[in-house]
Amino acid sequence: GAVVSQHPSRVICKSGTSVKIECRSLDFQATTMFWYRQFPKQSLMLMATSNEGSKATYEQGVEKDKFLINHASLTLSTLTVTSAHPEDSSFYICSATPTLGYHEKLFFGSGTQLSVL
Amino acid sequence: AQKITQTQPGMFVQEKEAVTLDCTYDTSDQSYGLFWYKQPSSGEMIFLIYQGSYDEQNATEGRYSLNFQKARKSANLVISASQLGDSAMYFCAMREGRYNFNKFYFGSGTKLNVKP
């Protein structure tokens, strides 16, 4: 089945530093990937839709300059949390569906737990 | 308005019994898909079952079945013969449209605890 790889799985950083999270589709091409944020015991909140070769589409209330998304190839999207602060600590998870063919479900990465000290 | 509503924050079920997790949805689209995902404590999202809006029969996948009532806009998940490993968060989700760029909307989730 389709696999989405997300790295790192866990990162701890100091306040003010930037953190990059990678999301790769390993065996399929994905022109669109999605980035979600999840607080403990809460649902997944869609942050942005990542589009290969073009700008990401951000959901209302999500800071574009804080959460930089780059979808440089058909198999890789990155989320960079810039100048991270403790309130950015959260579980971030990416997802994708194959571009070709019709696939119902969304394939998820394993998530990244970000802790900002 | 909420696209997906899950009204049960937590549920308990005895091992080997069946349990139903509720989900209602709101859309004006004719073409949409309904999904259930399981999220164990490790955080990964595990796909369980899918129901298309045009599917006339309820979807089934092993011990999972989806009770799809289109007129009521509900898509309840039924887990038969619960196992201890079923203890996890369960999310109902909907995609409006059928394309890879269509967004998924998630409900608030139900925490299922299976008791031995």
Side-chain angles (χ1 to χ4, degrees):
Chain A
V3 176
V4 175
S5 174
Q6 185 174 343
H7 292 281
S9 58
R10 182 178 294 273
V11 59
I12 301 172
C13 68
K14 292 182 179 179
S15 184
T17 60
S18 294
V19 175
K20 180 184 282 188
I21 302 170
E22 290 190 350
C23 181
R24 293 180 185 272
S25 54
L26 296 185
D27 52 0
F28 65 93
Q29 293 183 335
T31 52
T32 302
M33 292 186 179
F34 301 97
W35 287 95
Y36 291 87
R37 182 175 182 176
Q38 186 179 28
F39 291 105
K41 300 183 180 180
Q42 294 190 22
S43 186
L44 281 72
M45 181 192 77
L46 180 63
M47 298 175 65
T49 302
S50 172
N51 304 299
E52 187 269 335
S54 65
K55 291 182 179 180
T57 304
Y58 290 82
E59 295 299 300
Q60 191 173 8
V62 177
E63 298 177 60
K64 300 178 184 180
D65 296 331
K66 160 67 78 174
F67 300 102
L68 298 180
I69 291 173
N70 187 342
H71 196 148
S73 77
L74 289 172
T75 59
L76 174 63
S77 175
T78 61
L79 168 68
T80 301
V81 183
T82 61
S83 187
H85 288 94
E87 58 266 29
D88 298 324
S89 298
S90 187
F91 188 67
Y92 295 87
I93 190 165
C94 69
S95 63
T97 52
T99 301
L100 299 178
Y102 170 61
H103 298 267
E104 299 90 358
K105 63 185 176 182
L106 201 59
F107 298 95
F108 284 88
S110 53
T112 298
Q113 183 64 53
L114 171 63
S115 299
V116 184
L117 305 178
Chain B
Q2 292 277 2
K3 291 278 188 182
I4 295 286
T5 301
Q6 293 180 253
T7 58
Q8 306 154 312
M11 290 278 287
F12 284 91
V13 64
Q14 200 68 39
E15 192 179 8
K16 299 181 184 178
E17 292 185 350
V19 62
T20 298
L21 306 184
D22 295 340
C23 172
T24 57
Y25 60 93
D26 182 28
T27 183
S28 55
D29 283 15
Q30 295 301 308
S31 177
Y32 53 89
L34 298 161
F35 306 77
W36 279 90
Y37 283 85
K38 172 184 177 182
Q39 187 180 43
S41 56
S42 58
E44 61 185 308
M45 294 289 284
I46 302 169
F47 167 78
L48 296 179
I49 197 165
Y50 161 80
Q51 179 85 40
S53 58
Y54 294 114
D55 296 338
E56 295 186 350
Q57 291 198 334
N58 287 342
T60 59
E61 290 281 352
R63 295 187 297 111
Y64 305 107
S65 60
L66 197 151
N67 185 358
F68 181 44
Q69 299 188 43
K70 197 169 183 177
R72 292 186 178 183
K73 293 188 175 179
S74 74
N76 298 340
L77 176 70
V78 180
I79 305 174
S80 63
S82 298
Q83 301 173 356
L84 295 178
D86 293 335
S87 294
M89 280 291 287
Y90 288 80
F91 291 100
C92 179
M94 176 178 67
R95 178 170 66 188
E96 294 176 319
R98 301 179 69 179
Y99 300 101
N100 64 309
F101 53 79
N102 292 129
K103 300 177 192 178
F104 272 64
Y105 298 94
F106 287 85
S108 54
T110 296
K111 181 77 189 314
L112 177 66
N113 286 289
V114 180
K115 298 185 292 183

